Amino acid sequence: MNTTIPFISDQFINENCQFNGLIDALKRGFSNSDIEVPMRHHHDFSNPKEANDSTLLLMPAFNPGKELGVKIVTVSPNNGKYNFPAIQGMYIFIDGHKGFIKAILEAKSLTAKRTAAASALASSYLSKRNAASMLMIGTGALSINLIKAHCSVRPIESVYVWGRDIGKAQKICEALKNEQFTCTAIKNIEYKISEVDIISSATLAPTPLVLGKYLKKGQHVDLVGAYKKDTREADDEAITKSSVYLDTYQGGLKESGDIVIPLSKGILLKETIKADLFELCNNSKTGRTSDDEITVFKSVGHALEDLVAASYIYNLFQNKVEI
């Protein structure tokens, strides 16, 4: 047996991962009742130089007898001022029978790809089939991936990008200039929120950017940021006007202010949440029911997504090596 542990880099993941394939793999994963996912460890720790807490996440998952893995991630919200990604980490991918490490994957691109693919998977159930326009709120590492993922499941023709730094939004549009959709950087959110079919938000903003007063019938809202209980990207009105869906009940009900705060106020009731990705993918619950419905999908991330994505990417890597 070869004792050298393969290292799968961000570069390999970015060059070889295809969203259609990853989305299909995630759909099968959320339909697989054999995969076991303990509650992830979420530890905030002080970061004195920044006067702002950072976070350590440990995310294990097991597909018994086949494969298992754990992702180790740190989140440092102020890293942007150092021109350094907020999210850092590695994924340890392990044989589920004999327990040896099959590969170590860089977690930055793994996380970005699986997160975007999960949002697109949800969109395939929740956005209108003819959705043709999208607003991307946020200019971090996830933004390009979210745009490409959403565009892989819907016939999107026009994408708009907003960030606090218009220059970063313009760079994203420049990076997407050869895609089959147009991409435009914008300076204001308000007027555009009311015009697009899909709104995707991936920010570390502590207070809401998606305001319900601007939402219109038929829209789909994809909330990916706000990973702490006291932060949120959508306000109360956005929640009350919408049908709410989660990636998982396990994390979604506990980890993000987008859900925790409305629940604590009684604005949202647990029993009125429509479904999670497990229920959508195994067809026990349905998604969008009409073209007038406003849908909200809240993602906090789930270790099943990491395990499925790691397995998908590992197989791509093995095929490349064998060739």
Side-chain angles (χ1 to χ4, degrees):
M1 174 180 158
N2 186 355
T3 58
T4 302
I5 298 172
F7 177 74
I8 304 178
S9 67
D10 281 336
Q11 181 178 352
F12 178 88
I13 296 169
N14 287 325
E15 290 177 354
N16 292 277
C17 181
Q18 300 296 319
F19 277 116
N20 286 333
L22 181 53
I23 291 165
D24 286 345
L26 282 178
K27 186 173 183 177
R28 292 191 299 272
F30 276 105
S31 302
N32 183 357
S33 60
D34 291 335
I35 298 178
E36 302 172 9
V37 183
M39 189 67 185
R40 72 183 180 184
H41 293 250
H42 184 133
H43 304 283
D44 294 330
F45 61 93
S46 62
N47 193 339
K49 290 185 178 180
E50 299 301 323
N52 190 11
D53 283 356
S54 291
T55 302
L56 172 68
L57 300 171
L58 305 174
M59 303 174 67
F62 312 91
N63 192 354
K66 297 180 180 179
E67 54 203 14
L68 62 124
V70 60
K71 188 169 73 174
I72 303 170
V73 170
T74 57
V75 184
S76 302
N78 290 355
N79 274 2
K81 69 183 183 182
Y82 303 111
N83 197 29
F84 203 64
I87 298 173
Q88 304 288 321
M90 290 289 171
Y91 192 86
I92 303 173
F93 185 53
I94 302 169
D95 180 83
H97 176 207
K98 298 178 180 176
F100 62 88
I101 297 175
K102 298 174 76 171
I104 296 175
L105 296 83
E106 280 194 271
K108 177 185 173 185
S109 292
L110 173 75
T111 301
K113 297 295 184 186
R114 66 79 150 150
T115 302
S119 283
L121 175 60
S123 180
S124 71
Y125 291 97
L126 303 179
S127 64
K128 293 189 297 185
R129 291 185 180 274
N130 63 348
S133 57
M134 173 182 176
L135 170 62
M136 182 71 239
I137 300 174
T139 56
L142 268 174
S143 56
I144 288 178
N145 287 290
L146 282 163
I147 292 168
K148 288 184 175 182
H150 278 288
C151 290
S152 75
V153 298
R154 290 293 184 253
I156 294 173
E157 300 171 353
S158 304
V159 174
Y160 304 91
V161 182
W162 178 89
R164 298 190 189 281
D165 182 341
I166 186 69
K168 290 183 178 180
Q170 290 168 340
K171 286 181 179 179
I172 288 170
C173 292
E174 178 65 19
L176 296 169
K177 66 181 180 181
N178 294 324
E179 299 294 330
Q180 294 185 330
F181 49 83
T182 62
C183 190
T184 307
I186 60 174
K187 293 183 178 180
N188 298 297
I189 298 177
E190 290 81 3
Y191 77 94
K192 192 56 66 177
I193 279 185
S194 300
E195 298 177 0
V196 297
D197 297 313
I198 296 173
I199 300 158
S200 183
S201 185
T203 73
L204 296 176
T207 56
L209 294 169
V210 180
L211 305 182
K213 66 182 180 181
Y214 297 119
L215 295 180
K216 68 174 184 180
K217 291 180 179 179
Q219 288 180 305
H220 172 59
V221 181
D222 172 40
L223 302 175
V224 184
Y227 66 98
K228 292 185 177 181
K229 295 178 182 179
D230 59 349
T231 61
R232 58 192 303 193
E233 294 186 292
D235 68 356
D236 288 342
E237 187 174 348
I239 297 299
T240 57
K241 290 175 71 170
S242 305
S243 298
V244 177
Y245 296 79
L246 305 176
D247 54 354
T248 69
Y249 294 111
Q250 184 188 55
L253 293 172
K254 299 176 181 179
E255 295 189 18
S256 171
D258 276 313
I259 302 300
V260 171
I261 295 172
L263 283 173
S264 68
K265 292 181 176 180
I267 291 167
L268 176 68
L269 301 177
K270 180 179 176 181
E271 53 268 27
T272 63
I273 295 173
K274 298 294 184 178
D276 69 358
L277 278 178
F278 288 103
E279 294 170 326
L280 291 175
C281 292
N282 67 24
N283 297 316
S284 63
K285 297 281 185 69
T286 58
R288 172 178 291 274
T289 57
S290 75
D291 283 346
D292 287 341
E293 185 179 12
I294 300 172
T295 55
V296 164
F297 173 69
K298 176 58 197 173
S299 167
V300 298
H302 193 252
L304 178 146
E305 299 164 12
D306 295 306
L307 180 61
V308 168
S311 180
Y312 166 78
I313 292 164
Y314 178 76
N315 288 331
L316 293 177
F317 182 81
Q318 287 294 95
N319 289 335
K320 288 278 186 179
V321 171
E322 290 170 2
I323 291 172

